[in-house]
Structure formats: structure tokens, C-alpha cells
Amino acid sequence: MSHPSVVTLDKKSAPRTLFAGDMLVEVDLPPGTRCIYPKPPLASLKDPDAAIRYALNHPLNSEPLHAKLRPGMKVVIAIDDISLPLPPMRRPDVRERVLTIVLEMLSDHGVEDVEMIIATAVHRRMTAAEIKHAVGDKIFNAYYPDRLKNHDAEDPHGMKYVGTTEEGEIVELNKTAVESDLLIYVNLNLVPMDGGHKSVAVGLCGYKSLRAHHNPRVMRACHSYMDPTPKTSALAASVERQGRLTNKALNVFTIETTINNRMFDRPLEFLHKNEDDLTGFERTAMKALVRTLERVPQAARQAIFERVPAPYGMTGVFAGETEAVHKATLEKCFEQYAVPVKGQADVVVSGIPYISPYNVNSFLNPLLVQVMAEGYLFNMYRGQPLIKKGGTLIITHPCTDKFDKEHHAPYIEFVHNLLPETRDALELHKRYEEKFATNPAYIQMYRTGHAYHPAHPFYMWYWGEAGRQWLGQVIVVGADNEYIPKILGYKTARTMAEALSMAREKHGPSPEITCLRIPPIVIADVS
């Protein structure tokens, strides 16, 4: 089995260029190393607005949106938050396109009582500027802040009990959404674990509902977050139960969109490519970028990547009943991301980029480095993990001991006070989670500032739990300190050659090595 996105290095192969936070590093990998690259971007829809209108009028397993509307009804529109997509996309954002057409349809049918909620769950509140970027100037000016606002999971008067599943999972959601006549969810699907029942049942919930599945026991029972079916993911199974209960109680109309993986625009388009396929000009530009990033301060490095929004193109839009819609979405998602791969590897090498779902417009702190490595990177597979049980994951990142004090205040205490005491997720869950989650000062920062909820750092640690249970060791190349890797449980190496030497001590002189070359996103279909 071969695929154009899977290449094997030989003696003449160029060095691979990997992200190391907001730096790029060139590494030599031995001949025989298998490199997995993202697929080329799928073609964008030629007329996205026409596709949106078609989806609303020809929904899946549901009557058309216009048939659900009547004058005088109360409609709530919930939309995905800033964690999607990564990085933020060039305007108009997909959400703006969908909202514009949905709001026109509501107006045409005499629906005037409309509110919009950013489905943040326990993520940080979006700023006004971030909301404007997502929904566009016209909608922002007409609705913000009175009828366009962030979800508040800690508002004592803003949440409403919906029910309890047969497994005892509490469903408590945003009261405004629960009491609406129609709840429309506008999703922007970046990876397969987004969307579906997760949109409403998680995006509009609070701590009581999240406790059912955001815990170490459930995360250990997930066999790929990117294969979100109940048979492979205890997380997906729990969310599905909550979602089905929600959809029985509420009138939900789901709209999901998919995008291609065109993450980098000019002048950084060459970052998509196999290093051996670069033109002479692109090779020079790549080396110039690597050298520039080495010389400029961190803030300037981050600005280089944030200055150009991603030119993502919409590849699909589906509307109607939640599960039917999400099935179509997943097919489109895997069409973009899935690359067939034969066999597991002893050693997987990958760079950790500068951005994750939880640090848009802030720094990728050490806890999020862990999430990217043992959470997202490890789980970029279907079938079976890309790495063998007990294998070695080698990452490139400085692991700088730096946090955004506004966005990630609870993270600082978690990393510096709790992790030195124990890395055992079950112990952290039992002894500290509820104490953190009810801390009045942290709750205030979440509700009135732009801080993540104090339960969130625990969830970030649990997110790495499946990877921690599977991997034999994680080696970080290029750390600028020994302290952070040590409390994360990582070994350190000064160079890639040293890291590979350490891996050979564990796996023998000729380990099977695979380089997962991200970003953009790629998911290994491992057989």
C-alpha cells in the first residue's frame, strides 16, 4: 500500500523542517524514516452561500429550516467559539456566511426574537474584537452585546437542568437556549472530534455536565479522539447519551460546515510541502524564515504566524438532524485528513506548533504542550495508534516556563503546585479538581475576564491520559530548561540525533521511525 502523502527518506533527502513552538528547526532523520504529510487541500465550494441555502432547504432527516419558523417564536443561535478553526480564518469566517443567511431567513418569516450565544462551555470568553472577526461587522453591530454574548457556565441564574441519562450523566444547559422555541447550532468543523452532539451538549453546558466525561476514567477508555464513535471512544459515547437526551427535550436544528486544510497563505505556503519538492525559491525562503525566527524575540515570532489569517476554504455544509448531519460532516473531514498507513512505528517524531485550540492570541504554555503531544498528536489516528504500545514519541519544542496570566491563570498553580506533587490523573481528580473548580477568585476571572474555567487545566491533563497510558517515553528536543520537561514526565535531548540515540537504547539499533509532519492536520488510518 502506498499513498502520495507517505514518503520514505533516503540518503539524498533534505532535512525535515519541524515546528518547535513559534520556531522552525531543521532535523536530519535517518534513511528509511517514513514521513506522513497532510493531503493537498480539497477544492473549495465554488459558491458557498448557494451551498448554505441549499443545505437549509434540503436538510438531512429533518424538515427545512423555513418550515420550522413562525412569527413570534423565540430562536437562539449558538455558534462555535474561537477554538475553531486554527488559526482563525480569513474573513468572511464561515460562521458569518451561515449566520447572514440564517438571519435573513428568520427575518423573512417574521422571527424577530433572536439571540446568539458563543458556545464556550468552560473555555474563556471571546473578546469583542474576536467575536466581530467571527460574525462580521454587520451582525456584530446589530446584535452585540445584548443579543450576542458568550455562554456563562457559572451564571447561577443562567443554567437549567434538562435531565439525567440512563448512565447518570447530568444534562444542564444554557437557560436561554433551553427555553427557546428553536435552537440552531452553527458549527465549524476542524477535526472529527468537533461537532455532532458535542456542539450543544458540551458547548452550552457547565461543570455538572462535563464531570460525566471529562475525567481520567473516561479518557483512558478512548481509543482515538479522532475516531469519535461510541464503540471506540467512551467520551463520544457519553456525549452522545447527553446529546440524545437534549434533542428529545429541545427543538434543535444543526448546521455543520467543513473546511479544507489550507492553513498557510502566501508567503508561507511552502510550509505545506514535502521538503524534497520545494523549488529553489521556496528552499531559500524556508531557510530565510528559519534564520529569521532564530533571531527575533518571541512576540515577533508569534506575530509572523498570526499576521496572516488562514485562507481556509469551505468544502461542505450540511443541515438538519444532528446525527445525520454529523455523519456527512465526518465523511468530508476524513476525505481531507485521512492518509492510509500500513503498520505502527517504534518511534514517532513530530513538531509541536505554536497554536492549539486553547491558546488563540496567547502563548502555548507547558500544559498545552502536553495536550498537543500526548493528547492531539498521539490521537491523530484511526484503527490503531501510529505508535506501538510502549513506543517513543519525540517532539520538538522549547517547553518555556511561560503562561498568559489573563487566559491561563489557573494553569500556573496547576503546573507549579500540583504536578510536582503527582502526575497521577486519578489522584489529581480526586484530591484537587473540585477545590479548583469552585475557587471563587478563579470563577470570577472566568466570568468577568478572559480566563479559562479553573477546571480546565485538569481537563488538559486528562486529555493526555490516553497517550500517557500507551507511550513508553516522551523525549523533547530543544527544551530551554530542565524543570518543565521533568514535571511533565519527559526526557530531554539537545539534538534530534541524541533523541534518536536514546530511542535506540530502548528499541534496538534499527527502530521503525515515522515522522508525522504537521501542521496542517493529517490523520493516520493505520492498518
Side-chain angles (χ1 to χ4, degrees), residues 121-162:
V122 293
H123 292 177
R124 71 170 175 87
R125 298 187 319 132
M126 288 174 67
T127 66
E130 290 166 344
I131 295 173
K132 181 184 284 189
H133 181 93
V135 305
D137 291 14
K138 184 178 178 181
I139 294 172
F140 180 86
N141 293 336
Y143 287 87
Y144 185 84
D146 296 332
R147 294 191 294 156
L148 169 58
K149 57 187 72 173
N150 290 287
H151 170 62
D152 181 353
E154 291 291 345
D155 180 354
H157 307 294
M159 301 294 290
K160 187 167 184 175
Y161 174 75
V162 177

Side-chain angles (χ1 to χ4, degrees), residues 349-426:
V349 177
S350 193
I352 302 290
Y354 61 97
I355 195 167
S356 79
Y358 318 108
N359 76 303
V360 178
N361 297 325
S362 65
F363 187 74
L364 188 83
N365 64 57
L367 188 55
L368 295 178
V369 172
Q370 174 269 162
V371 169
M372 291 298 288
E374 292 162 296
Y376 286 95
L377 271 178
F378 170 75
N379 280 282
M380 286 294 179
Y381 72 89
R382 282 195 303 182
Q384 52 186 330
L386 181 59
I387 192 167
K388 294 177 183 174
K389 177 74 172 174
T392 296
L393 176 63
I394 299 176
I395 60 172
T396 51
H397 197 276
C399 289
T400 306
D401 186 5
K402 178 180 176 180
F403 297 79
D404 186 298
K405 293 179 180 176
E406 181 185 16
H407 291 182
H408 300 125
Y411 282 53
I412 302 171
E413 184 179 355
F414 182 90
V415 169
H416 286 288
N417 292 356
L418 302 193
L419 286 185
E421 187 176 329
T422 180
R423 291 193 293 271
D424 186 323
L426 292 171

Side-chain angles (χ1 to χ4, degrees), residues 263-278:
M263 181 175 177
F264 299 109
D265 203 354
R266 296 184 182 90
L268 301 178
E269 269 186 324
F270 55 82
L271 292 173
H272 286 254
K273 296 180 68 174
N274 178 342
E275 290 81 350
D276 292 319
D277 295 337
L278 295 175

Side-chain angles (χ1 to χ4, degrees), residues 7-19:
V7 300
T8 301
L9 303 187
D10 58 31
K11 292 181 179 178
K12 297 180 181 178
S13 296
R16 302 299 102 172
T17 305
L18 305 180
F19 271 92

Side-chain angles (χ1 to χ4, degrees), residues 29-81:
L29 297 173
T33 296
R34 178 177 61 177
C35 286
I36 304 172
Y37 285 86
K39 288 179 176 176
L42 294 177
S44 305
L45 295 172
K46 291 182 178 177
D47 189 340
D49 292 345
I52 293 166
R53 289 191 176 90
Y54 183 88
L56 299 181
N57 291 321
H58 301 82
L60 303 173
N61 200 24
S62 168
E63 56 185 341
L65 179 58
H66 64 78
K68 289 176 169 283
L69 305 178
R70 64 178 189 278
M73 72 186 306
K74 180 178 181 58
V75 173
V76 168
I77 307 173
I79 64 175
D80 280 333
D81 73 355

